[in-house]
C-alpha cells in the first residue's frame, strides 16, 4: 500500500514538474538535460544530432512490437537516460521508434534525464534505485513489474521489454 501511495504521489509530482528541465554543458560541449524530457525535445534540438541516425533503419523485434501494440493497457514506461551517454543515445531513438510503430501512447512514457553523476531531480534515481543508464522501468497500474538496464540480459532491450509486457498480460 505504501508503494502504491508513493507512486500516486510521484505521478502527481511528475505531472506538476514535467516541464522543468535543467540544461547544462560539460567540458566537451555536450548538452546535458536533467529532468523531465519529452521526445520532441530530443528530436528538435540541433544539439542532439545523434537522435535521427540512431533511429534510422531500426526494425523492432517482432515479439516486442506485438506486446507494445496489444498489451499497453495499464502499462507505463519510466526511462532514466543521459543525453551525454552513448548507450542512451543508441537505445532511446530505437525505443521511441518501437513505441511509435506499435501505436503505444506517448503519455504512457516518462523520460527523466540524468547528469553525468547519474543523478536526477527530486532524488528520483535514488528512489527508483537507478545506477546505470538507460534504465527502462515497466510499471503496470503503478507497480514495477520489470526493468531493462542498458541493453538487457540478451543484448536486445526491445525483446526483453516486450517479454515483460507480454508476461504482465497473463
Amino acid at each position: 500500500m505504501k508503494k502504491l501511495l508513493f507512486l500516486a504521489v510521484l505521478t502527481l509530482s511528475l505531472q506538476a514538474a514535467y516541464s522543468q528541465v535543467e540544461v547544462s554543458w560539460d567540458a566537451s560541449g555536450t548538452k546535458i538535460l536533467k529532468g523531465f524530457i519529452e521526445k520532441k525535445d530530443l528530436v528538435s534540438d540541433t544539439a542532439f544530432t545523434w537522435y535521427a541516425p540512431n533511429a534510422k533503419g531500426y526494425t523492432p523485434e517482432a515479439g516486442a512490437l506485438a506486446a507494445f501494440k496489444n498489451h499497453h493497457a495499464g502499462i507505463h514506461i519510466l526511462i532514466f537516460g543521459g543525453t551525454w551517454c552513448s548507450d542512451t543515445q543508441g537505445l532511446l531513438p530505437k525505443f521511441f521508434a518501437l513505441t511509435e510503430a506499435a501505436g503505444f501512447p506517448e503519455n504512457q512514457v516518462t523520460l527523466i534525464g540524468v547528469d553525468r553523476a547519474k543523478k536526477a531531480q527530486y532524488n528520483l534515481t535514488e528512489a527508483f534505485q537507478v545506477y546505470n543508464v538507460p534504465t527502462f522501468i515497466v510499471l503496470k497500474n503503478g507497480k514495477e513489474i520489470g526493468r531493462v538496464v542498458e541493453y538487457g540480459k540478451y543484448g536486445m532491450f526491445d525483446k526483453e521489454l516486450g517479454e515483460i509486457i507480454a508476461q504482465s498480460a497473463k
Side-chain angles (χ1 to χ4, degrees), residues 1-90:
M1 183 66 174
K2 286 182 182 179
K3 200 172 200 177
L4 194 54
L5 179 60
F6 169 76
L7 288 173
V9 170
L10 177 65
T11 301
L12 293 174
S13 298
L14 292 175
Q15 290 173 345
Y18 200 78
S19 63
Q20 296 179 1
V21 177
E22 292 176 24
V23 179
S24 63
W25 300 83
D26 67 11
S28 67
T30 301
K31 187 174 186 177
I32 298 172
L33 299 182
K34 182 177 176 182
F36 298 92
I37 306 169
E38 294 183 52
K39 175 184 166 186
K40 67 180 172 107
D41 297 331
L42 301 175
V43 173
S44 64
D45 192 325
T46 57
F48 304 124
T49 57
W50 47 264
Y51 191 91
N54 288 334
K56 188 176 182 179
Y58 166 70
T59 303
E61 193 270 335
L65 187 61
F68 272 81
K69 188 175 204 168
N70 299 321
H71 305 296
H72 64 265
I75 297 292
H76 193 96
I77 311 291
L78 179 60
I79 307 165
F80 289 85
T83 55
W84 51 267
C85 169
S86 61
D87 289 341
T88 299
Q89 292 172 1

